[in-house]
Amino acid sequence: MNATKVASAARPETTAQGGRSVFGAIFKARESGILLALVVLVAFTATQNARFLSGQSIRDILLGTAILAVLAVGQTIVMITRNIDLSVGSVLGLSAFAVGTLMQGNQGMPVVVALLAGLGVGAVCGLLNGFLVRFGQVPALVVTLGTLYAYRGVSYFWAGGKQITADELPRQFLRFGNSTLLGLPWLVLIALIVLVAAAVVLRNYRAGRELYAIGSSPQAAELAGIKVGRNTIVAFLVSGALAGLAGVLFAARFGTIDAAAGTGYELNVVAAAVVGGVAVFGGSGTVWGAGLGALLLTVIGSALAVLDINQFWQQAIVGALILLAIGADRLVAVRVAKSLKKRDSHVR
């Protein structure tokens, strides 16, 4: 058995005997279900309040989704390897404050430098997470829960109670957070580029297939010659870098940045990935599903606000969606196991 065969077998779209796999069919069905839920939710909310479909409302939803989707892509890559990154909200906050401080002191600095700086800050945080998981032999849940508080602590120490306001940031940076290209906000375009790039790598390149193989069975992947430790570090590096990029988008959109920026985002990010079909137990899922999950959660939040429903219900709905998604994954896993067992008995 070689690495390519193991990796190919782990892809959610790959099937035995050239057919569509049960997992692949379920993920497509789930993504279709999310789209249907979005249509129903938008239609119902619009009938109750026509302002929900106003240009500004749609723009706000897209901008909110863009930041969450970028985070969800990084989370998906980590979760595919059977890990989780709870530090993304704190990395976003640290990156946002770092870039805000940088732009505050360098008014003529190009926006592209801010984007690269955010990616760099996030990459360092992600790399530290990856090394701790790989060489510390500690579960990613524990490591990233610790770094969640550590990175947030760094932000509070650095900020010292200060807040960066929009009037202290360069105008070109603030314009970037609100300007469009062909009618589409730059933040949304960046999110789409991240989604497409990640989807292509995961589906068509060996590096992506190896991540699925690791999540399906780390031991088998190791025996097949896949460098599990290295790929795990890279997955956390990418997640951190994208969280850093999301921090720049956050700063450009809101303009006001303090040490608490991004607090609570990690839960919504995990929810977006899980609701979008990324298996908690690794080895399956797509970034497109995670992106749709991010859109659904953003629309739910906006719809409840428009309908003047208590914020508690948003959290309750998100929790229910996570439980339903995990339950669906377990049912699919049981069905697949029974199907494989039955097929093996026929072969014998």
Side-chain angles (χ1 to χ4, degrees):
M1 182 184 294
N2 57 41
T4 303
K5 288 181 179 178
V6 172
S8 297
R11 290 174 60 190
E13 299 85 355
T14 304
T15 65
Q17 302 174 353
R20 295 175 66 186
S21 70
V22 177
F23 270 117
I26 290 295
F27 291 135
K28 291 183 185 301
R30 183 179 294 182
E31 290 168 7
S32 300
I34 293 175
L35 287 173
L36 178 61
L38 280 168
V39 171
V40 172
L41 179 61
V42 169
F44 173 77
T45 308
T47 60
Q48 302 300 309
N49 191 327
R51 291 180 302 164
F52 186 67
L53 290 180
S54 67
Q56 185 59 47
S57 177
I58 293 173
R59 178 185 175 84
D60 289 340
I61 289 173
L62 290 177
L63 290 174
T65 301
I67 297 173
L68 188 58
V70 170
L71 291 167
V73 169
Q75 190 70 247
T76 297
I77 292 172
V78 170
M79 288 178 66
I80 284 173
T81 66
R82 201 178 288 192
N83 289 293
I84 196 166
D85 186 356
L86 295 180
S87 69
V88 290
S90 297
V91 175
L92 180 153
L94 180 59
S95 170
F97 194 82
V99 169
T101 303
L102 180 66
M103 299 299 286
Q104 182 185 38
N106 300 274
Q107 293 289 320
M109 184 170 290
V111 173
V112 66
V113 176
L115 293 171
L116 292 175
L119 283 167
V121 171
V124 171
C125 294
L127 190 62
L128 178 58
N129 286 340
F131 272 112
L132 289 173
V133 172
R134 170 67 179 89
F135 297 108
Q137 297 297 309
V138 179
L141 177 68
V142 177
V143 167
T144 58
L145 182 62
T147 54
L148 179 155
Y149 289 107
Y151 297 151
R152 184 66 64 188
V154 171
S155 296
Y156 275 105
F157 178 78
W158 188 356
K162 294 186 300 181
Q163 184 182 68
I164 299 173
T165 57
D167 59 354
E168 298 176 285
L169 295 174
R171 289 189 176 182
Q172 71 271 17
F173 183 66
L174 296 175
R175 281 198 300 268
F176 165 71
N178 294 283
S179 60
T180 63
L181 178 65
L182 301 177
L184 202 61
W186 271 106
L187 272 62
V188 177
L189 284 171
I190 290 174
L192 287 174
I193 291 171
V194 170
L195 277 165
V196 171
V200 169
V201 171
L202 289 174
R203 182 182 176 87
N204 299 325
Y205 287 85
R206 177 174 176 175
R209 296 195 297 272
E210 287 184 351
L211 295 179
Y212 283 112
I214 293 169
S216 297
S217 176
Q219 295 79 12
E222 193 82 57
L223 291 173
I226 295 175
K227 298 184 183 301
V228 175
R230 183 193 65 184
N231 285 326
T232 299
I233 292 174
V234 170
F236 277 101
L237 172 66
V238 173
S239 177
L242 291 180
L245 174 62
V248 182
L249 304 185
F250 180 96
R253 183 193 174 194
F254 295 107
T256 300
I257 315 158
D258 58 22
T263 300
Y265 263 69
E266 55 278 342
L267 300 181
N268 285 333
V269 172
V270 173
V274 172
V275 170
V278 182
V280 177
F281 306 100
S284 56
T286 66
V287 292
W288 293 115
L292 285 173
L295 178 59
L296 177 61
L297 295 185
T298 306
V299 171
I300 288 173
S302 298
L304 293 181
V306 168
L307 297 174
D308 197 24
I309 297 176
N310 193 297
Q311 184 74 12
F312 161 78
W313 288 107
Q314 179 181 353
Q315 298 174 357
I317 291 170
V318 171
L321 287 173
I322 293 174
L323 292 176
L324 286 172
I326 293 174
D329 286 340
R330 294 310 300 158
L331 288 174
V332 171
V334 170
R335 286 185 59 187
V336 171
K338 288 182 178 178
S339 177
L340 291 174
K341 187 175 181 180
K342 184 182 295 185
R343 190 184 66 185
D344 289 343
S345 64
H346 286 320
V347 172
R348 292 173 186 170

